[in-house]
Amino acid sequence: MKKHCFYISAFAAILLLSALLSYSLPTRQLRVMDEYVSVDKAPRIRPDYTETFIPPNIAPLNFLVKEPATQYLVKIYSTTGDTINVFTKTPAIIIPIRPWKKLLTANRVGKLYFDVYARNKTNQWTRLKTITNTIANENIDPYLAYRKIRSVHSSWKRMGIYQRNLQNFDESLVLNSRFHGGVCLNCHAFANNRTDKMAIGFRSSKYGSSALLVEGGTAKKLGTKFTYTAWHPSGRLVAYSYNKVNQFFHTARSEVREVVDLDSLLAYYLCDSQTVKTSPNLSKKDRLETYPAWSPDGRYLYFCSAPILWSDRDKVPPQHYDEVKYDLLRISYELEKDQWGDLETVLSSEDTGLSILEPRISPDGRWLLCCMSDYGSFPVYYQSSDLYIIDLKSAEQTGRFNYRRLDINSDKSESWHSWSSNNRWIAFSSKRDYGLFTRSYFSYVDEQGKVHKPLILPQKDPAFYDSCIKTYSVPELVTELVKVRPETFGRLIRSPRKIAVDLPVTMATPRPEAPPGYGPYQERE
Amino acid sequence: MNMGETALAESLERLGERPMILKRLALIAMVKQDVNTARVYLGALSKTPFHVDWANAYLKLLDSGADLSTDKRVRHLTSLTMENDYGFTGYQPERILLDLLDKNRYNHLAFEYLMAWYLLTSQLDKFVQNLHRLDDFDYPQIPPLYEQAILVHQVLTGKKVDLKGRQISPQTYDLAHRFSIISTSEDATDRLTAMRLTLRDFGDSYLFYFNFGDLGIAK
C-alpha cells in the first residue's frame, strides 16, 4: 500500500514539475527572443483571421501559421489588458480561452493585434507584420445550429443537426441518425432566434415525411411535410413550402449535383387550431413558390416565386431547368383575421437578371438579405450564388427596393444565411475556402448595412477544416440551446402518433413525391 | 469524371472514409482543378497510416502552386474527361461513351465499353458504324467477338461490312459455320434444344448470345 502511495506521489510530482516547466519555458524563451529581425511581410495564417470584425464573445480564433519555422511566438494584445503569449514548436496557435475572453471583453470596439514571430533553423527570430482585427461592440448570439452531412449525392447514412456554443468549442447534438435510423433531416427553423419554438422537417421511407414542431419546449409530430419553414414572429403560425424536390447530376460541371423543384407551393400551419391552410396567391398552378420569410412585424410574408417552364412535372431534368429565375414577392397578412392581402413584387428576376432566393429579414426589419444566382432554386450548389442586401426602411420611404451585392462575396457559392437577434451579425454558408465542403462564416453588419469581412466558425484544432469531409450548412443563430433531447425527437419520429393535418388540395398541389428509398437523387446539402 | 465522383461519394457514405475512396476523390478534384476540395480529401487521407506519403506528396505539390497538369496521372485523367455538360439522372452509356470518344478518340476504355454496349443490346448497326475506331488502337487483329458480330450483321443485312483491309480470321468463319450447322440441324427442333446443343462449344461466343440472349458456359 505504501509503495502504491509512493508511486502516486511521484507521478503527481512529475506532473507538477512538467506543468511548472512548461509555464516557465515561454518566459525563458521570450528573453532569448529579444533579438529579432522585423520583415515587411504579412504572415500567412489559416483560417484567415485578418482584418475581420470579431464578436466580443467568440471562442478563441485558433489558427495555423503557414510560414516555415522551428518555433513560433504569437503575441495577442489590444489597447488594454494583458498580452497573451502563445509559444509553440508547431504552427498551431492555440489561444487560452480565459485570457482571450478577458482581452476581448475589455476592448470592445477596439483593435486586436496578432504579432507573429518565427524562428528559423539558425535560431534567428523574425517578426512578421502585425495582423489586425477589430473587436465589435455587439455580441453574436451565443449558439449556432447547423446540419452536418457528408458531401452526399444520392443516399446518406449519417447526418445530424448540431448546436455549437460560439463562446467556446462545445458542440452538442440536436438530432442525428443514431436516434432515427436514417431519416433525412431537412431544414431546421427557429422563431425569433429562440429554441422554444422550432421546426425540423424530415423524410423517411420507413416513417414517412413529417415535421417536428417544438412549442413551449414540447415537441410533437405533424402529419405534413415541411421543406423551407418560417415562423411567424407571434409564434402562432408557421409558413412553409411544400416542394416536389428532385436531384440530378451534371456530366461535366465542377459541382456535380443539381436540385430542381418540379413543383412547389406555400402553406401555413396554425398552431392553435392545428390546421394547415394555403391561399390562392401562395399556391398558383403555373408558378413555383418557395422560401417563405416573415417581416418581423408579422405583416408581410416574403417569398420566392418563378414560372413553371415545363409541362411534364415528372421528368427529370425538366425542360429549361437552367432558365428558371425566381422573383421576390411579398403578401400582406392580418394575423387576427387570418386574412391575406395583395401580392406585390419586391424584386423581379427580369430586373436583376438573376434568380432571387432565400430571403431573410433582420429582426429590426431594416435589412433583407438574399441570394442571387444565375438560375434555379438551390444556391448552395451554384458557384454563381452571391449574397445581396435590400434596405427595407429606405424602400418604405421611396417605394423602391434597391438591392446591393455584398463586398464579402467570393467566387464560390454563398447561401443559407441567418441573422443574429441583435441585427449586427449574420451567419452564412460558403464554399470559398474548402471547395465542396461548405463551412459556416460570420460577418458583422454595421448600422449602415455594410457587411464586413467574414470569419469562419472557429475550431479548437486550427487544422480541423483541412481534413473535415463534412459540410456545415444552414447555420442558424440562436440565443439558447435546444432543450428537447435527441431521444425525444427520435421517439417522435419513430412513433406512429402524429397530429393529422391535411394539405388542402388545390389545382396547384404537387403530388406527393416518393419517400427516400423509393426514388433516387433526393438528398442535398 | 463526374459519374466517378458520384459513385465514389456514394461509396464514401455507405462504406466510410476508406483510403481507396478518399484517394480517388482527391484525384478527381485535382483533375477538375478544384484545389480546395482536393486539399480536404488529401488532408483526410494524410491521417491514414498507409497513404500519408502519397497524400503529403500531393499536398506539397498543391502548396507549391505548381501546375497540376505537370503530374502524369492528373494529366492522363484530364485527357479523358468529358467536356460536354448536361443533366442526367441515371447512367446513359451510349451518350456518355460517345462524348468521351469525342473528347479523346484514343480513350480505349470508352471505346471497348461502347462496343460492348452495342453488342449487349444487339445494336449491330451502330456497332458496325463504329468499327472504324479500331484504327485508333493497337489491335493486332479484330477481336473474335467483334468478328462474330460482324458475321451476324452480314447475315442479317445481306451486306458486306467494309473492314478497311482487315480480315476476319478463318477460325471465326469456321466457328460460325459449325454453329450454323448445329443450330439448324434436324436435332435442333426448337429454340431450347438448339441452345442446349450449342451450349458446350459455343456458350462463350457472341453467336450464342445473339441467338439465345444469354451467356452460356465457357468451354
Side-chain angles (χ1 to χ4, degrees):
Chain A
M1 185 63 189
K2 275 185 182 174
K3 201 175 174 183
H4 187 68
C5 289
F6 170 77
Y7 283 133
I8 290 174
S9 308
F11 183 66
I14 290 167
L15 272 181
L16 187 66
L17 195 64
S18 310
L20 283 170
L21 275 175
S22 62
Y23 180 76
S24 61
L25 191 64
T27 318
R28 188 162 53 83
Q29 295 287 356
L30 282 175
R31 278 204 299 276
V32 174
M33 214 251 350
D34 283 344
E35 289 178 15
Y36 57 83
V37 177
S38 291
V39 292
D40 190 27
K41 181 196 170 195
R44 290 172 298 161
I45 65 167
R46 188 174 166 94
D48 178 12
Y49 295 131
T50 64
E51 296 173 12
T52 65
F53 267 63
I54 302 173
N57 59 332
I58 197 79
L61 303 183
N62 295 340
F63 60 88
L64 294 170
V65 181
K66 302 293 277 183
E67 301 291 344
T70 56
Q71 283 177 313
Y72 301 88
L73 171 69
V74 175
K75 294 184 172 191
I76 302 166
Y77 57 98
S78 185
T79 316
T80 61
D82 295 337
T83 297
I84 303 169
N85 293 306
V86 180
F87 184 85
T88 167
K89 287 184 176 178
T90 74
I93 307 301
I94 311 292
I95 306 167
I97 193 162
R98 279 189 190 169
W100 168 264
K101 284 198 167 299
K102 215 171 152 185
L103 191 64
L104 263 58
T105 308
N107 290 282
R108 285 173 191 257
V109 206
K111 298 287 181 194
L112 183 72
Y113 304 104
F114 298 163
D115 282 353
V116 178
Y117 299 79
R119 188 165 88 164
N120 63 17
K121 285 177 185 168
T122 58
N123 293 331
Q124 174 70 54
W125 281 96
T126 302
R127 179 187 163 177
L128 295 123
K129 275 177 78 176
T130 302
I131 292 169
T132 308
N133 289 285
T134 304
I135 305 166
N137 188 36
E138 300 89 349
N139 283 356
I140 195 166
D141 287 349
Y143 301 98
L144 187 75
Y146 44 79
R147 189 170 84 150
K148 264 202 301 194
I149 183 172
R150 284 207 187 103
S151 185
V152 294
H153 283 224
S154 300
S155 56
W156 66 93
K157 260 176 97 176
R158 298 172 195 89
M159 75 162 74
I161 298 172
Y162 295 81
Q163 49 192 347
R164 165 69 192 271
N165 186 336
L166 297 178
Q167 302 176 110
N168 53 42
F169 299 104
D170 293 346
E171 184 189 66
S172 58
L173 180 67
V174 177
L175 179 60
N176 72 0
S177 316
R178 209 178 114 213
F179 297 94
H180 53 65
V183 308
C184 171
L185 299 170
N186 299 344
C187 300
H188 42 283
F190 302 92
N192 306 322
N193 297 81
R194 291 170 58 88
T195 60
D196 54 350
K197 285 183 190 289
M198 64 172 286
I200 300 172
F202 72 87
R203 292 179 290 135
S204 162
S205 55
K206 197 171 176 183
Y207 305 116
S209 295
S210 299
L212 301 174
L213 212 67
V214 176
E215 281 187 275
T218 308
K220 53 195 166 192
K221 185 161 84 171
L222 298 188
T224 183
K225 185 187 82 165
F226 283 9
T227 305
Y228 307 115
T229 310
W231 280 88
H232 190 272
S234 68
R236 289 165 55 187
L237 70 106
V238 192
Y240 67 92
S241 64
Y242 188 92
N243 307 49
K244 186 177 179 184
V245 183
N246 272 83
Q247 182 163 316
F248 60 96
F249 303 117
H250 284 278
T251 52
R253 192 181 288 183
S254 182
E255 172 55 83
V256 181
R257 298 159 296 175
E258 175 82 75
V259 163
V260 65
D261 286 345
L262 291 178
D263 207 346
S264 65
L265 57 75
L266 294 183
Y268 60 108
Y269 172 73
L270 292 155
C271 299
D272 292 342
S273 60
Q274 298 188 339
T275 51
V276 165
K277 291 183 175 180
T278 186
S279 147
N281 276 335
L282 300 176
S283 53
K284 292 189 174 178
K285 190 186 173 189
D286 57 346
R287 293 192 72 90
L288 303 160
E289 295 91 356
T290 190
Y291 293 121
W294 287 100
S295 62
D297 59 11
R299 288 174 52 227
Y300 289 100
L301 181 70
Y302 289 74
F303 62 97
C304 303
S305 168
I308 300 178
L309 302 181
W310 43 85
S311 49
D312 185 344
R313 297 194 188 188
D314 293 314
K315 187 179 175 240
V316 181
Q319 281 181 307
H320 311 297
Y321 72 87
D322 53 356
E323 292 169 25
V324 173
K325 288 180 182 169
Y326 284 77
D327 302 318
L328 179 62
L329 309 181
R330 72 175 184 179
I331 185 168
S332 60
Y333 180 67
E334 277 189 64
L335 178 64
E336 297 311 324
K337 295 179 185 169
D338 184 22
Q339 196 173 336
W340 296 92
D342 295 330
L343 205 56
E344 289 175 68
T345 300
V346 174
L347 206 55
S348 152
S349 61
E350 205 176 305
D351 293 338
T352 63
L354 299 166
S355 188
I356 309 159
L357 302 159
E358 296 179 3
R360 296 295 295 266
I361 301 168
S362 60
D364 61 2
R366 173 80 192 267
W367 308 104
L368 185 149
L369 195 62
C370 61
C371 293
M372 292 198 211
S373 53
D374 289 345
Y375 72 92
S377 63
F378 206 63
V380 75
Y381 287 170
Y382 305 138
Q383 197 169 320
S384 65
S385 175
D386 283 333
L387 294 172
Y388 287 72
I389 201 164
I390 299 172
D391 185 345
L392 293 178
K393 190 177 163 190
S394 161
E396 289 301 321
Q397 290 158 1
T398 62
R400 285 172 38 212
F401 291 91
N402 294 321
Y403 62 96
R404 171 167 55 86
R405 185 180 173 276
L406 298 186
D407 296 335
I408 59 161
N409 286 300
S410 68
D411 60 350
K412 300 290 190 297
S413 163
E414 334 284 345
S415 61
W416 294 135
H417 41 280
S418 71
W419 288 89
S420 68
S421 58
N422 63 2
N423 313 291
R424 291 282 77 87
W425 294 95
I426 55 167
F428 63 98
S429 295
S430 177
K431 297 192 171 181
R432 59 185 60 205
D433 293 320
Y434 296 91
L436 282 177
F437 306 100
T438 315
R439 310 296 191 211
S440 296
Y441 292 79
F442 309 112
S443 272
Y444 181 72
V445 186
D446 65 25
E447 289 189 0
Q448 284 69 48
K450 180 176 166 54
V451 181
H452 293 263
K453 185 181 170 184
L455 65 151
I456 198 168
L457 169 68
Q459 300 289 349
K460 191 170 191 176
D461 174 6
F464 174 82
Y465 292 120
D466 293 342
S467 59
C468 172
I469 61 167
K470 286 191 172 159
T471 64
Y472 285 66
S473 60
V474 201
E476 291 286 329
L477 287 162
V478 282
T479 54
E480 56 193 356
L481 285 168
V482 174
K483 293 175 196 77
V484 178
R485 293 170 58 80
E487 292 85 351
T488 309
F489 281 133
R491 265 197 303 275
L492 269 175
I493 288 175
R494 297 191 303 272
S495 165
R497 277 184 296 177
K498 58 187 172 189
I499 297 171
V501 285
D502 291 320
L503 185 70
V505 177
T506 70
M507 289 298 282
T509 309
R511 278 181 288 157
E513 65 194 65
Y518 293 99
Y521 315 130
Q522 298 294 311
E523 194 37 62
R524 58 202 194 278
E525 280 175 36
Chain B
M1 209 52 63
N2 281 12
M3 294 188 84
E5 189 178 335
T6 298
L8 287 162
E10 285 298 287
S11 306
L12 187 69
E13 187 62 13
R14 288 169 189 271
L15 305 174
E17 295 176 21
R18 307 260 171 112
M20 181 276 278
I21 300 171
L22 295 172
K23 199 170 174 178
R24 280 158 179 76
L25 283 166
L27 265 175
I28 287 174
M30 286 189 279
V31 169
K32 292 166 86 171
Q33 301 288 319
D34 187 352
V35 173
N36 289 341
T37 299
R39 268 184 215 283
V40 178
Y41 283 129
L42 291 169
L45 193 62
S46 70
K47 293 188 169 179
T48 63
F50 303 115
H51 298 80
V52 59
D53 292 341
W54 189 91
N56 284 342
Y58 272 111
L59 280 170
K60 203 172 164 187
L61 183 74
L62 296 180
D63 283 342
S64 73
D67 182 358
L68 282 170
S69 63
T70 56
D71 181 80
K72 195 178 164 189
R73 180 92 172 119
V74 172
R75 191 171 61 243
H76 170 66
L77 290 171
T78 305
S79 74
L80 306 174
T81 305
M82 262 177 78
E83 285 173 355
N84 186 17
D85 183 59
Y86 50 85
F88 70 95
T89 53
Y91 184 44
Q92 299 167 286
E94 185 181 9
R95 186 173 179 185
I96 285 168
L97 293 166
L98 283 170
D99 280 341
L100 286 170
L101 286 166
D102 274 352
K103 165 76 191 298
N104 182 347
R105 60 189 291 182
Y106 303 111
N107 187 335
H108 201 163
L109 199 61
F111 169 70
E112 293 204 336
Y113 272 136
L114 180 71
M115 297 303 257
W117 174 252
Y118 289 145
L119 293 181
L120 277 168
T121 52
S122 303
Q123 298 184 72
L124 296 187
D125 284 341
K126 290 182 178 174
F127 166 78
V128 166
Q129 282 165 22
N130 281 278
L131 277 173
H132 67 90
R133 294 183 188 275
L134 283 169
D135 294 342
D136 293 333
F137 306 99
D138 206 14
Y139 287 99
Q141 61 183 67
I142 304 173
L145 291 176
Y146 290 13
E147 288 184 332
Q148 294 161 29
I150 292 164
L151 290 182
V152 171
H153 185 264
Q154 288 186 165
V155 168
L156 291 175
T157 61
K159 290 178 190 167
K160 195 165 170 56
V161 175
D162 180 8
L163 298 175
K164 308 252 171 77
R166 291 176 188 270
Q167 300 288 326
I168 291 177
S169 67
Q171 290 90 335
T172 298
Y173 277 118
D174 180 55
L175 184 88
H177 183 64
R178 286 189 291 118
F179 179 84
S180 172
I181 290 173
I182 295 172
S183 60
T184 56
S185 68
E186 286 181 2
D187 293 341
T189 48
D190 54 38
R191 190 169 172 274
L192 189 62
T193 315
M195 192 174 166
R196 280 186 188 144
L197 288 171
T198 52
L199 182 64
R200 193 173 66 88
D201 290 337
F202 304 94
D204 60 351
S205 71
Y206 187 69
L207 302 169
F208 186 91
Y209 176 80
F210 185 83
N211 278 280
F212 304 118
D214 206 346
L215 291 175
I217 300 162
K219 282 180 275 188

